[in-house]
Amino acid sequence: MVPSVRYPLHQRRLDNGLRVVINPDPAVPAVAVNLWYDVGSRHEEPGRSGFAHLFEHLMFQGSAHVGSGKHISMLQAAGASVNATTWFDRTNYFEALPVGGLDLALWLEADRLSTLLEAVTQENLDNQREVVKEEKRQRYDNVPYGLMMQFLVQNTFPADHPYGHTTIGSMEDLDAAELADVHAFFRRHYMPNNAVLTIAGGIEVDDAMTRVERYFGQIPAGELPETPKTPPLPALSGVPRTEVRAPVPADALYLSWRLPALDQRSFDAADLGLSILGDGQTSRLYRRLVREDQLTTGAGASALGLIGGNSFGFASARARESVDIAQVEEIMISEIERFAAEGPTDEELLRAKAQYERQWLSALATLATRADQISSAATLLDDPEEINQRLITIDGIDTAEITAAVAEHLTADARAAVVYRAIGEDDPVTVTSERLPS
């Protein structure tokens, strides 16, 4: 039986277009303030990659009435946890704090939305540009397998596709960016009518709406940017492949496939299929590669839902010492093909749905992540009530749908591959790419 999930949601649009969703939860003496902007790396123009992520940093560097770096310190002094993230489809800013700090959080968010450019000087731009470059060095360039996602993205999507580059962007593009370019990007995307504001926690609906109107109501709307045109791409062909020889701990394999967009039922079916293939130690890939054949130290598979025409499907494994990574890939593909032919067992389907249910309910149980899921559903699916319907949708997917989705999308000749081969610390790092015949 599907658990009943019914969080009260109250929606309103301000005159300036800001979409507001209130989730009152009187039992909690705290609030989560969550602001999603409909801008991510897929909205960037050619030669201007990395701008969405750059603004994640610049938004904390002060505004007309807040000094540089004071945004976070003021919230933390009020007992808040605060952060932001950037992804292909969105940028979100969020804080959770005692209910008495709601006015501070709303004022800070509104002030940087309305007056940020007064603080984005050449000095601030240069400073945060260097921060982003250092982040890329620490998180991507100088860690094992750090460039895996970049290679997979490049192999899965055309270079000129909105998903054809990662959110960190090109450092050459950031170096070439001028102050006028950065200001123009903010004006194009950061406006109340391109955002969703969710407040969840111990506050009454009318009171919350009054406060939102007080802080955000006078911010003018802007002209909405054109949404990137991204019709669904056909399946991959030719098996695009990148081989990286680098000083990594072990040989590793990463595969990806194009999946349907997040709002398609067939995406949910493929998502459950990938869970059966690679989510946890009872999954098919883990049982075969780790337990039975003992070829790898781990194996997994998952889906990444996106809205711009296609999503991602992933599978990965890391080889044991002296194991040929080509053998790992051969067995992984054979297991996926067997799954596509047989479909899931009733037990596997029940387990996958139970895992999804547990993860979903866990996310909604926490105030901050619940607010984030509400903003996500409103921004990406245009329906915050999706959080109350999600488990019903997942429960309705049957074995035939999963089998069909896996057979259609997770085929051997429609995959992209990234292979890491371990070399010594003093050996030269090499990267080779090729398109193999199907």
Side-chain angles (χ1 to χ4, degrees):
M1 181 176 178
V2 180
S4 176
V5 178
R6 180 54 58 184
Y7 288 97
L9 302 176
H10 302 264
Q11 299 185 64
R12 177 186 167 191
R13 280 192 187 270
L14 303 190
D15 291 342
N16 60 14
L18 178 66
R19 189 172 187 175
V20 184
V21 186
I22 308 298
N23 166 224
D25 193 342
V28 182
V31 289
V33 176
N34 189 285
L35 194 56
W36 273 49
Y37 290 95
D38 190 7
V39 55
S41 58
R42 82 181 182 111
H43 299 89
E44 294 165 347
E45 298 176 340
R48 295 292 181 267
S49 67
F51 274 37
H53 175 249
L54 176 64
F55 266 99
E56 178 197 321
H57 289 260
L58 289 171
M59 287 281 274
F60 289 102
Q61 293 308 301
S63 48
H65 308 102
V66 180
S68 179
K70 295 296 185 181
H71 187 107
I72 291 179
S73 63
M74 292 172 70
L75 284 168
Q76 288 178 335
S81 59
V82 53
N83 213 329
T85 65
T86 309
W87 200 228
F88 292 96
D89 290 326
R90 53 87 185 137
T91 307
N92 62 342
Y93 301 85
F94 48 93
E95 47 267 339
L97 68 170
V99 70
L102 178 58
D103 284 283
L104 174 64
L106 292 176
W107 176 75
L108 285 169
E109 292 290 0
D111 195 64
R112 65 180 175 183
L113 172 58
S114 59
T115 70
L116 181 84
L117 293 186
E118 296 183 36
V120 180
T121 62
Q122 187 67 51
E123 180 182 2
N124 258 351
L125 171 59
D126 292 342
N127 175 270
Q128 292 309 303
R129 182 160 36 199
E130 291 305 312
V131 170
V132 171
K133 290 164 73 173
E134 181 60 24
E135 177 182 341
K136 185 174 186 297
R137 285 189 285 266
Q138 291 185 2
R139 295 181 55 190
Y140 297 85
D141 298 341
N142 298 324
V143 295
Y145 318 107
L147 295 177
M148 174 272 297
M149 179 60 80
Q150 175 181 313
F151 296 134
L152 273 184
V153 164
Q154 292 171 352
N155 288 349
T156 307
F157 292 98
D160 59 352
H161 191 275
Y163 293 145
H165 65 279
T166 57
T167 56
I168 194 70
S170 158
M171 296 304 99
E172 291 76 17
D173 286 353
L174 287 182
D175 282 338
E178 298 182 357
L179 189 61
D181 300 323
V182 174
H183 280 230
F185 186 86
F186 182 85
R187 292 193 183 97
R188 188 178 306 119
H189 298 286
Y190 280 85
M191 60 189 77
N193 47 322
N194 201 39
V196 171
L197 171 63
T198 297
I199 302 175
I203 188 167
E204 296 180 352
V205 175
D206 289 343
D207 184 17
M209 291 293 188
T210 298
R211 297 182 194 216
V212 172
E213 180 69 49
R214 179 188 309 151
Y215 296 111
F216 285 88
Q218 302 307 308
I219 303 174
E223 183 179 351
L224 286 173
E226 184 178 350
T227 301
K229 293 180 174 62
T230 50
L233 294 169
L236 284 163
S237 62
V239 193
R241 177 181 297 269
T242 297
E243 183 169 302
V244 185
R245 294 181 178 271
V248 293
D251 290 0
L253 169 70
Y254 302 89
L255 303 179
S256 70
W257 295 264
R258 293 173 184 166
L259 298 182
L262 177 65
D263 59 355
Q264 302 299 305
R265 185 178 176 90
S266 53
F267 168 79
D268 292 328
D271 186 14
L272 285 175
L274 284 162
S275 175
I276 293 168
L277 279 167
D279 185 7
Q281 296 184 8
T282 59
S283 67
R284 290 192 174 205
L285 293 179
Y286 192 95
R287 290 201 315 266
R288 175 70 189 277
L289 290 168
V290 179
R291 290 183 172 178
E292 296 174 11
D293 294 356
Q294 298 185 10
L295 298 174
T296 69
T297 57
S302 62
L304 171 61
L306 301 170
I307 60 172
N310 293 90
S311 299
F312 279 106
F314 298 98
S316 63
R318 192 171 298 183
R320 292 182 181 273
E321 188 175 359
S322 301
V323 171
D324 185 357
I325 198 68
Q327 182 185 6
V328 173
E329 183 172 8
E330 180 181 350
I331 292 175
M332 182 181 287
I333 292 300
S334 71
E335 281 296 308
I336 295 172
E337 290 180 328
R338 183 169 70 88
F339 183 44
E342 298 175 352
T345 65
D346 291 342
E347 181 183 356
E348 286 176 325
L349 181 56
L350 285 173
R351 184 166 58 243
K353 290 180 177 180
Q355 288 173 326
Y356 193 103
E357 178 185 303
R358 183 180 66 252
Q359 294 164 0
W360 184 251
L361 293 177
S362 176
L364 296 186
T366 303
L367 201 61
T369 51
R370 186 196 314 159
D372 201 57
Q373 291 293 347
I374 294 169
S375 291
S376 172
T379 304
L380 304 182
L381 303 175
D382 196 31
D383 184 12
E385 287 287 350
E386 172 68 15
I387 71 160
N388 291 323
Q389 299 298 319
R390 193 79 191 113
L391 293 182
I392 297 174
T393 299
I394 294 300
D395 186 63
I397 295 174
D398 59 25
T399 57
E401 289 179 278
I402 294 174
T403 304
V406 172
E408 179 179 359
H409 300 292
L410 304 182
T411 62
D413 58 354
R415 74 188 190 273
V418 176
V419 177
Y420 274 86
R421 295 188 183 275
I423 59 174
E425 290 287 344
D426 297 328
D427 295 330
V429 175
T430 61
V431 178
T432 57
S433 295
E434 60 180 334
R435 184 177 292 273
L436 300 180
S438 300

